[in-house]
Structure formats: structure tokens, C-alpha cells
């Protein structure tokens, strides 16, 4: 039998004759339990907020996006398209053109992105689910789908045949502009749908037919600015990227969803780390109670320790008793706190106890990663606190 572990377990489950020590032990245990529960709940909340925040961009961003490294556009050949279709792991792909243009409606104007898409765009991106009003555009038409933010800015509805939305795109070329009217290609389009995703994205894109945008920008029929991919579940992204680079002879830039929203991911991860560190500091403060409780226990058991020492027990083994006692208290307290935290998270998911708005519950996500982070943190800090307290056991103290 492990002698220090046996004594440590006896000390954990037995009450002290000194009532003050029992109170300190309860306070230390409660500090560990509450600290663990709070850390897990907060990490789960931030995981939920991360998923909630990214859900907006996920509606409009593809799994993988291909653009040219050496210019705004490139020409895709039928052979290259045939090779793309043979790539294992690609569920579907869509050709796009993105260009900043000027939009005019009555006496109002705004510069934003015109995004030309083909008929497969709704297959790659679930944009139709975000239509606030109207319908998705038809291929080979002058129809467009605008964002809710742009519709508000222009005070514009859909199917307004008397007041078309005007699009001005700069003509490509060199030299000074002599006649401003000849510097732009112009066309009238008809809004047939309004999408609503988030405040930022609702004013970013106006969707139009790919052919219409190619004509407006004076592109060739096979000239595009990018390709967006929808990948199959568990597809090997690295292998797909390698094949695409081979097809386009390493003249392309490939970005996945995280890379397309790099600043957003960095912000969310930074916030998560900051909150984790703050609550870890709270746990460290709570573990001072554990150090105090162990030191009080050492002083109370001084007579017993002296007897064990005289019987031949090493100082190292005596220290192990309190090291194991503190570590076990941290483990038990962490497990109880974690169980309470999991219950709170599940209750929030099932019954929406806390609401952000009358219709939106506070998002929480249960992940094994958060469980491991919390338990690793509690056990590690508990071990360090126990190590500090157990170092008080020395030959000088027993003498």
C-alpha cells in the first residue's frame, strides 16, 4: 500500500478536532468548486459566442476560396474545370467575380462590392436561407440581390420597375480621364431579393449574375476573379490545395474559412485567452485558502508527524502526505465544480434560462476541450499550491 496516499485520504475524509480548521477546509473546497464551475461556464459561454459570431460569416464564406496571386482576375480553361471536377473531396464549386463599384438609386449613392455568381453559388453557400424578402436572382438576367443594410441606406424595396438601381463600374485602361462620363460602364439592375446576415455583411455585397458582371467589367466569358469550393465532410484540405496548385501551376492563393476571417478569429481567440487568464487568476487566489488549510493541518498534525518520523518515516514521505492531500482535494473539488458547470450549461442549452434578447438565448457550447482545459488548470494549480504548503514539513519543524 502507498503509505503517504493512505494517510492523505484519511486526513481528507476525517474531521479535525479544531473547528476553525474544518471551516478553513470547507472554504478551500468551496473555492475550488466555485472556481472550477465558473471557469468552465465562462469558457462554454465564449465557445458559444465564437460559434454564434462565426455563424454569420459561415453563411456567406466558402470552405475554400481560390483567387489569383498575380492580379484581380484570371482565365479558367475547360481543361482546368474538368480537372477540378475530378478532385476527391470537392463537393461543388462556383465561379465568382468581385469588384468595388458605385451604386446609385434616386439621389443616393454608395460604393460597395458587386459580386457576380453563377447558378451553383447557392449550392456552395447557403445564402438562400438568409433571404429576408423576395427571391434569389435568376441566371442570365439583370436581377440583383441586395443586403438589408444597403436597402435601408437607399430606402429601397424590391421589384421597383420605375426606379432601377444603377451600377457604375470603372473601365480598365491607362492614362488620364478626359471625359468622366466615358470612364465608367453603366447598367440598370432590378433588385428582386434582400438578404440579412449581420450588420457588417448586409452592406458589403450586391449579388448579380456572373455573365452580367463580366459584361459590365468587359471580361472575357471565361475570365473570373475567384472560385469558391464546398468540401465534402472529412475531406483532406491539404491534399485538395496541393491538387489545385498543381492545376493552376502555383499561380493562385487558397484560403479556408478561418483564413478568410483571420482578424475575427484572432479577436475571438484573444478574448477567450484573456477571460481564461482572468478566471485562472481568480482560481489562484482561491487556492491560497488551500495553502492555508494545508499549513493549518500540518501544524495540527505535528505530533502525529513527529511520531511517524521517529518510527523511521522520511521527511519526503511526510511531505508527500500533504502534497497528495492537497492534490486530491483539487481533483475532487474540480470534478464536483465541473459537474455543476456541465449541468448549468446543459440547462441553458435545453431551457434557455438566460436571454440576450427576448428571442435570443445566451449561446453556450459544451466541448471536451473545455473540460480538459479546466481540469488540467485546476489539477496543475492545486499541485503547485500543495507543493508550496507541503514544503513547510521539515526536520526543524518536528524538532
Amino acid at each position: 500500500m502507498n503509505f503517504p496516499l493512505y494517510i492523505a485520504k484519511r486526513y481528507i475524509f476525517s474531521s479535525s478536532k479544531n473547528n476553525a480548521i474544518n471551516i478553513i477546509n470547507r472554504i478551500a473546497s468551496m473555492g475550488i468548486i466555485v472556481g472550477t464551475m465558473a471557469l468552465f461556464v465562462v469558457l462554454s459561454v465564449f465557445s458559444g459566442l465564437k460559434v454564434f459570431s462565426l455563424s454569420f460569416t459561415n453563411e456567406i464564406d466558402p470552405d475554400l476560396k481560390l483567387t489569383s496571386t498575380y492580379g484581380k482576375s484570371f482565365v479558367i480553361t475547360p481543361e482546368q474545370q474538368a480537372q477540378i471536377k475530378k478532385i476527391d473531396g470537392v463537393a461543388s464549386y462556383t465561379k465568382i467575380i468581385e469588384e468595388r463599384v458605385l451604386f446609385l438609386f434616386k439621389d443616393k449613392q454608395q460604393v460597395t462590392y458587386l459580386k457576380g455568381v453563377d447558378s451553383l453559388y447557392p449550392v456552395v453557400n447557403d445564402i438562400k436561407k438568409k433571404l429576408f424578402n423576395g427571391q434569389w436572382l435568376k441566371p442570365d438576367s439583370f436581377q440583383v440581390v441586395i443586403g438589408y443594410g444597403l436597402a435601408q441606406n437607399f430606402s429601397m424595396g424590391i421589384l421597383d420597375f420605375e426606379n432601377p438601381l444603377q451600377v457604375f463600374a470603372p473601365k480598365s485602361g491607362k492614362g488620364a480621364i478626359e471625359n468622366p462620363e466615358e470612364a465608367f460602364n453603366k447598367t440598370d439592375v432590378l433588385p428582386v431579393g434582400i438578404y440579412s446576415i449581420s450588420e457588417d455583411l448586409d452592406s458589403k455585397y450586391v449579388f448579380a449574375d456572373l455573365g452580367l458582371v463580366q459584361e459590365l467589367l468587359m471580361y472575357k466569358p471565361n475570365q473570373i476573379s475567384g472560385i469558391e469550393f464546398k468540401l465534402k465532410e472529412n475531406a483532406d484540405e491539404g491534399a485538395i490545395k496541393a491538387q489545385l496548385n498543381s492545376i493552376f501551376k502555383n499561380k493562385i492563393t487558397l484560403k479556408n474559412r478561418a483564413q478568410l476571417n483571420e482578424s475575427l478569429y484572432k479577436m475571438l481567440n484573444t478574448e477567450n485567452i484573456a477571460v481564461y487568464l482572468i478566471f485562472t487568476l481568480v482560481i489562484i487566489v482561491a487556492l491560497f485558502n488551500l495553502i492555508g488549510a494545508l499549513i493549518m493541518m500540518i501544524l495540527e498534525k505535528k505530533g502525529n508527524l513527529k511520531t511517524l518520523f521517529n518510527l523511521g518515516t522520511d521527511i519526503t514521505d511526510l511531505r508527500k502526505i500533504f502534497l497528495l492531500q492537497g492534490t486530491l482535494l483539487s481533483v475532487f473539488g474540480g470534478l464536483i465544480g465541473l459537474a455543476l458547470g456541465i449541468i448549468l450549461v446543459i440547462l441553458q442549452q435545453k431551457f434557455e434560462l438566460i436571454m440576450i434578447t427576448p428571442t435570443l438565448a445566451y449561446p453556450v457550447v459544451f466541448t471536451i476541450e473545455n473540460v480538459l482545459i479546466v481540469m488540467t488548470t485546476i489539477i496543475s494549480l492545486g499541485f503547485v499550491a500543495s507543493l508550496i504548503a507541503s514544503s513547510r514539513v521539515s526536520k526543524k519543524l518536528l524538532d
Side-chain angles (χ1 to χ4, degrees):
M1 179 181 291
N2 191 325
F3 173 70
L5 179 61
Y6 174 76
I7 300 296
K9 287 190 290 185
R10 289 289 300 271
Y11 283 170
I12 289 174
F13 297 109
S14 62
S15 299
S16 172
K17 295 179 182 179
N18 191 325
N19 195 42
I21 294 178
N22 291 329
I23 293 172
I24 293 172
N25 284 334
R26 292 192 190 102
I27 292 173
S29 299
M30 285 302 299
I32 295 170
I33 292 170
V34 173
T36 303
M37 181 179 67
L39 180 59
F40 179 76
V41 170
V42 168
L43 289 179
S44 298
V45 167
F46 268 80
S47 296
L49 288 173
K50 183 176 181 179
V51 171
F52 180 71
S53 299
L54 294 176
S55 66
F56 296 119
T57 60
N58 290 349
E59 299 294 343
I60 206 167
D61 286 331
D63 295 327
L64 197 63
K65 186 173 183 178
L66 181 153
T67 55
S68 174
T69 307
Y70 301 102
K72 296 172 67 175
S73 65
F74 63 96
V75 174
I76 181 170
T77 64
E79 292 78 12
Q80 289 172 330
Q81 293 189 63
Q83 288 177 305
I84 291 173
K85 292 178 181 178
K86 294 178 181 178
I87 297 177
D88 185 31
V90 174
S92 185
Y93 73 93
T94 178
K95 294 175 288 184
I96 63 161
I97 296 175
E98 290 184 25
E99 185 61 63
R100 285 178 68 87
V101 298
L102 174 65
F103 290 94
L104 267 70
F105 182 76
K106 295 182 180 179
D107 58 342
K108 297 180 181 179
Q109 61 183 24
Q110 183 171 332
V111 175
T112 190
Y113 281 98
L114 177 66
K115 186 164 184 174
V117 298
D118 61 17
S119 59
L120 292 175
Y121 187 80
V123 177
V124 176
N125 301 278
D126 240 349
I127 188 66
K128 283 188 177 180
K129 289 185 178 179
K130 292 300 178 180
L131 285 179
F132 176 79
N133 193 12
Q135 62 185 13
W136 186 248
L137 57 92
K138 294 180 180 178
D140 302 320
S141 69
F142 285 83
Q143 298 177 353
V144 295
V145 173
I146 62 174
Y148 183 69
L150 189 67
Q152 279 191 317
N153 293 341
F154 282 166
S155 300
M156 177 174 52
I158 60 173
L159 301 174
D160 188 349
F161 294 96
E162 294 183 0
N163 300 291
L165 177 64
Q166 296 180 313
V167 187
F168 291 84
K171 292 181 180 179
S172 59
K174 298 179 181 180
I177 298 174
E178 296 180 359
N179 186 356
E181 293 183 1
E182 296 179 358
F184 294 89
N185 291 323
K186 174 193 169 185
T187 189
D188 293 343
V189 293
L190 177 66
V192 295
I194 300 175
Y195 69 88
S196 179
I197 299 174
S198 69
E199 187 176 349
D200 294 333
L201 295 173
D202 287 352
S203 298
K204 185 175 181 180
Y205 290 116
V206 173
F207 294 97
D209 179 67
L210 184 69
L212 172 64
V213 179
Q214 285 174 331
E215 184 179 345
L216 184 66
L217 299 176
M218 301 174 69
Y219 279 7
K220 299 174 183 177
N222 56 348
Q223 187 176 0
I224 57 176
S225 64
I227 304 174
E228 296 184 355
F229 296 90
K230 181 179 181 180
L231 306 184
K232 296 178 181 177
E233 192 174 353
N234 300 322
D236 188 344
E237 185 181 299
I240 293 172
K241 285 184 175 181
Q243 292 179 70
L244 288 171
N245 275 311
S246 176
I247 292 170
F248 291 94
K249 304 186 185 305
N250 296 315
K251 295 180 180 180
I252 55 170
T253 300
L254 293 165
K255 290 185 178 181
N256 57 26
R257 189 169 285 146
Q259 292 166 332
L260 288 169
N261 299 282
E262 192 172 359
S263 58
L264 177 60
Y265 274 82
K266 281 183 179 179
M267 181 190 72
L268 293 173
N269 290 333
T270 302
E271 288 179 351
N272 207 5
I273 292 171
V275 169
Y276 169 75
L277 293 176
I278 291 169
F279 273 82
T280 299
L281 181 61
V282 172
I283 292 173
I284 290 172
V285 173
L287 287 174
F288 278 111
N289 291 324
L290 178 62
I291 295 174
L294 290 174
I295 291 175
M296 293 288 289
M297 182 71 71
I298 289 169
L299 294 176
E300 187 198 23
K301 303 296 183 180
K302 181 178 176 180
N304 295 342
L305 296 177
K306 189 172 182 179
T307 300
L308 291 171
F309 180 72
N310 291 332
L311 290 172
T313 305
D314 294 336
I315 293 293
T316 304
D317 288 334
L318 296 178
R319 288 176 177 172
K320 280 183 181 179
I321 293 173
F322 298 98
L323 175 63
L324 290 169
Q325 182 185 353
T327 304
L328 288 173
L329 278 172
S330 300
V331 172
F332 294 147
L335 290 173
I336 295 171
L338 190 60
L340 293 175
I342 292 172
I343 291 171
L344 283 176
V345 168
I346 292 174
L347 287 175
Q348 174 65 14
Q349 288 178 328
K350 296 291 185 182
F351 302 105
E352 300 182 347
L353 303 176
I354 302 174
M355 307 292 289
I356 299 177
T357 67
T359 57
L360 179 63
Y362 224 102
V364 291
V365 174
F366 172 81
T367 63
I368 298 299
E369 181 184 1
N370 287 339
V371 172
L372 296 176
I373 289 173
V374 170
M375 285 308 299
T376 301
T377 301
I378 291 296
I379 294 173
S380 300
L381 294 177
F383 177 81
V384 172
S386 305
L387 189 64
I388 293 171
S390 64
S391 65
R392 301 287 295 177
V393 179
S394 63
K395 192 171 183 300
K396 182 178 179 181
L397 175 70
L398 300 180
D399 290 339

